[in-house]
Amino acid sequence: DTAVSQTPKYLVTQMGNDKSIKCEQNLGHDTMYWYKQDSKKFLKIMFSYNNKELIINETVPNRFSPKSPDKAHLNLHINSLELGDSAVYFCASSQEGRGSGNTIYFGEGSWLTVV
Amino acid sequence: GENVEQHPSTLSVQEGDSAVIKCTYSDSASNYFPWYKQELGKGPQLIIDIRSNVGEKKDQRIAVTLNKTAKHFSLHITETQPEDSAVYFCAAGPLNTGFQKLVFGTGTRLLVSP
């Protein structure tokens, strides 16, 4: 009963390919995020969706397109993959109040390697 | 925008010692400061947070202090154990409605030796 689950966990693909990472949360949260963690462990927000609407887009290339079919899902599609896209991508969710404050709950990460 | 600096980048201690990780932030509008622990192969997990209306918060062996005037906050772990070994991230941001625009520090790799 994982709270935030993302698939696949590992993905190795060639430059130029298009790939997707799926994310689902069963916490009933209204807000979902995508974070990127590079090889130096720097953790940066890419996108945030609240009730299926985009609220934060942190100057991410247009090749990255998030899609939220409902508030429990936020998928990340990446076109024309480049070597620099290799990183760990974390999906996350949060909800105001609910006794847990604004805690962000992270998934286990998706390790993307572009060769 | 917010900028968060975190030190040290690595920290090695002996089991039973205390560990302190320090962060500074730049945006005086930030009023929410969580700390996350990331174990190998896992996602970051919240361990403690503090809001700007308090100066200190404690939860068993971990505590966080906040100095809003100086714009810095610290994580203190006492009686460290090998299972405390992980990467720790501080973060800062406004306590918004509905979503969190947190800026994370660069992480501290803590190694606790038996």
Side-chain angles (χ1 to χ4, degrees):
Chain A
D1 57 342
T2 306
V4 182
S5 57
Q6 50 184 113
T7 55
K9 188 172 178 72
Y10 300 101
L11 183 56
V12 181
T13 188
Q14 290 188 325
M15 282 174 54
N17 284 350
D18 303 338
K19 291 295 177 185
S20 292
I21 307 172
K22 294 185 177 181
C23 179
E24 176 181 6
Q25 54 94 3
N26 62 5
L27 296 166
H29 289 169
D30 286 338
T31 305
M32 295 186 72
Y33 312 79
W34 277 106
Y35 282 83
K36 179 180 179 181
Q37 186 172 47
D38 62 22
S39 57
K40 294 184 178 178
K41 295 291 188 182
F42 296 157
L43 195 60
K44 290 193 174 180
I45 191 168
M46 300 173 66
F47 300 102
S48 174
Y49 270 72
N50 181 259
N51 278 313
K52 303 192 297 176
E53 291 189 19
L54 179 66
I55 358 178
I56 297 174
N57 179 342
E58 290 291 310
T59 59
V60 177
N62 291 338
R63 298 182 296 103
F64 290 79
S65 53
K67 285 186 172 52
S68 182
D70 55 62
K71 71 176 190 176
H73 296 82
L74 182 62
N75 304 321
L76 183 65
H77 188 74
I78 315 170
N79 290 329
S80 304
L81 279 156
E82 301 177 356
L83 293 176
D85 297 332
S86 296
V88 184
Y89 292 86
F90 287 101
C91 178
S93 72
S94 71
Q95 177 71 45
E96 182 195 21
R98 295 269 189 104
S100 62
N102 291 69
T103 302
I104 295 182
Y105 293 84
F106 286 87
E108 298 266 286
S110 294
W111 271 251
L112 172 66
T113 302
V114 182
V115 297
Chain B
E2 178 64 274
N3 182 49
V4 178
E5 294 189 0
Q6 181 173 347
H7 300 279
S9 56
T10 57
L11 180 58
S12 294
V13 300
Q14 290 292 120
E15 182 176 1
D17 288 349
S18 294
V20 180
I21 302 171
K22 297 182 179 182
C23 289
T24 60
Y25 63 99
S26 60
D27 190 347
S28 56
S30 290
N31 55 7
Y32 177 60
F33 309 92
W35 286 87
Y36 282 80
K37 176 184 181 182
Q38 186 177 20
E39 295 177 342
L40 195 61
K42 304 277 188 182
Q45 191 168 23
L46 180 76
I47 54 171
I48 195 168
D49 59 15
I50 191 167
R51 302 184 186 194
S52 60
N53 56 346
V54 296
E56 184 173 359
K57 185 176 178 181
K58 192 173 181 181
D59 182 5
Q60 298 180 13
R61 293 187 298 108
I62 59 173
V64 58
T65 58
L66 170 65
N67 184 328
K68 280 222 77 175
T69 304
K71 294 197 186 72
H72 61 72
F73 56 114
S74 301
L75 178 72
H76 305 253
I77 307 174
T78 58
E79 300 172 31
T80 53
Q81 301 166 4
E83 50 265 38
D84 294 329
S85 297
V87 178
Y88 290 81
F89 292 94
C90 64
L95 202 58
N96 285 326
T97 298
F99 68 95
Q100 280 292 335
K101 190 174 178 182
L102 290 175
V103 175
F104 284 82
T106 48
T108 295
R109 188 178 300 275
L110 174 64
L111 177 62
V112 181
S113 304

